[in-house]
Each structure stands twice: as C-alpha cells, then as structure tokens.
Amino acid sequence: MSTKRVFVLGVLLVVLGSGLCAAADELPTVPGMRNMHFRTYSVLQGLPQASAMVMAQDSASFVWVATQDGLVRFDSYDFKVFKHHRDDPYSLSDNYVRALAPDRHGGLWIGARSGDLNHYNRWTGRFDHLSIHHQGGQSARSTGISALALSADERLWIVSGDGVLQWLDPGSRQVRRAPLGHRDVLEDV
C-alpha cells in the first residue's frame, strides 16, 4: 500500500473515530447509569478457574459462571462453587461446564463436557442428571453438550459437540432429536 493511501486511511479513521465519539456524547443518558464501574474477579476472589465458558443470570438475580473446574453462583458479594463429588449423587455430574440456561421457575439447566444434562433445583440445592442420547441409542458423551437454549414454551434445546440438535420435552423429560439431521454449522456453537 502506498504512503499516500495509508495517510488517507489514517485521516479517515481519525475523522470517523472522532465523529463516533461526538455521537456517543450526544446519546441520552440512562437514569442511574451515569457512572459505571467495573470490577474484575479471579481465583483470588473465589473463582475455581480463571476461564469462564459462559455466564447466565437467573430469575433470582444470581449470576452463574460455567468454568472448566465447576459451576459458580455469584450473589454480588460471594461466590459459591458447585463441583462433582463421587459420594454425592445429587452433586454436579461433571466439573467441566460448557452451557447454561436458566428457567423461569428458578432452576438452571447445565450442559457438561461429559454429555450429561444437569438441572439445578434452587429449592433443594440438588442437581438432577439426564444422559443425552441421539436416536439409535448413541450417547452424546463423546462430544458433550456445547449449547443450551430455552424457548417460550419451556422446551430446552440442546446442541451436542458433533452438531446434533435435540430438544427436551418438559412433560415427559424425554430428549427428542430435531428433524434437521447433522449440521456442520452447529459444531462450532
């Protein structure tokens, strides 16, 4: 690229950047949001692991953080870490959590790398476990669960690591495969 083009490109970026800053100054302010402060948290404050895979906020305003070493619930003051315990059948099924979806009843759906689907009941403090199987009986254990989403009708949509889309029927708690077949685009979700 010639020096002249680089100079013109630089001037355009400066002009556009200053215009965007001026436009941002003209935006209306939101009451109570004048001074925003950010705080960072790490293992020093109670996180079990430094990498957050995904975060979600439930109806009780808890912030949930999925990590490679457990599930974390944050109440704006303290962290509570949930992990798998071999001697506790109601503990998290796998410490490597990859997907979260809060439901409107105060519960939380958790997708694990192991392919297990967990549901946290905030009233009992217990995790229920469901193993996800594709049609034909093949387990999702080899690829894990990579994404979860709840629809308005309480249907839980589940994407496995190999690109298979399934849904959990809330009434029967049976997992059904969506009639899409395998989708390469879902492998990167």
Side-chain angles (χ1 to χ4, degrees), residues 66-138:
T67 75
Q68 296 174 12
D69 192 26
L71 176 65
V72 180
R73 184 181 70 196
F74 183 59
D75 65 2
S76 299
Y77 300 102
D78 297 308
F79 294 101
K80 178 169 175 71
V81 179
F82 297 91
K83 290 191 175 198
H84 172 70
H85 298 287
R86 280 189 294 196
D87 57 340
D88 183 0
Y90 299 107
S91 70
L92 195 61
S93 67
D94 183 3
N95 288 336
Y96 196 134
V97 179
R98 296 169 79 183
L100 300 173
D103 64 28
R104 64 179 172 204
H105 305 291
L108 180 71
W109 291 99
I110 302 112
R113 181 179 66 174
S114 64
D116 287 335
L117 180 64
N118 296 261
H119 184 260
Y120 177 73
N121 181 324
R122 82 172 192 206
W123 307 111
T124 63
R126 294 180 170 184
F127 293 89
D128 294 322
H129 310 130
L130 289 165
S131 289
I132 305 300
H133 296 276
H134 302 320
Q135 284 177 333
Q138 179 186 358

Side-chain angles (χ1 to χ4, degrees), residues 57 64 78 88 98 118 133 139 153 164 174 183:
Q57 187 171 16
W64 294 87
D78 297 308
D88 183 0
R98 296 169 79 183
N118 296 261
H133 296 276
S139 173
D153 64 352
V164 175
Q174 294 290 315
R183 297 285 189 236

Side-chain angles (χ1 to χ4, degrees), residues 12-33:
L12 280 174
L13 288 174
V14 169
V15 169
L16 287 174
S18 62
L20 291 174
C21 290
D25 289 340
E26 295 170 10
L27 292 175
T29 59
V30 177
M33 298 298 289

Side-chain angles (χ1 to χ4, degrees), residues 12-74:
L12 280 174
L13 288 174
V14 169
V15 169
L16 287 174
S18 62
L20 291 174
C21 290
D25 289 340
E26 295 170 10
L27 292 175
T29 59
V30 177
M33 298 298 289
R34 197 155 238 256
N35 296 317
M36 293 177 55
H37 300 278
F38 293 91
R39 180 175 290 154
T40 58
Y41 296 97
S42 70
V43 292
L44 298 174
Q45 287 79 30
L47 288 171
Q49 208 262 339
S51 297
M53 306 304 290
V54 67
M55 293 172 40
Q57 187 171 16
D58 68 14
S59 60
S61 296
F62 289 117
V63 174
W64 294 87
V65 182
T67 75
Q68 296 174 12
D69 192 26
L71 176 65
V72 180
R73 184 181 70 196
F74 183 59

Side-chain angles (χ1 to χ4, degrees), residues 145-159:
I145 296 173
S146 61
L148 297 172
L150 271 168
S151 60
D153 64 352
E154 298 268 325
R155 186 177 288 183
L156 180 68
W157 292 91
I158 304 159
V159 178

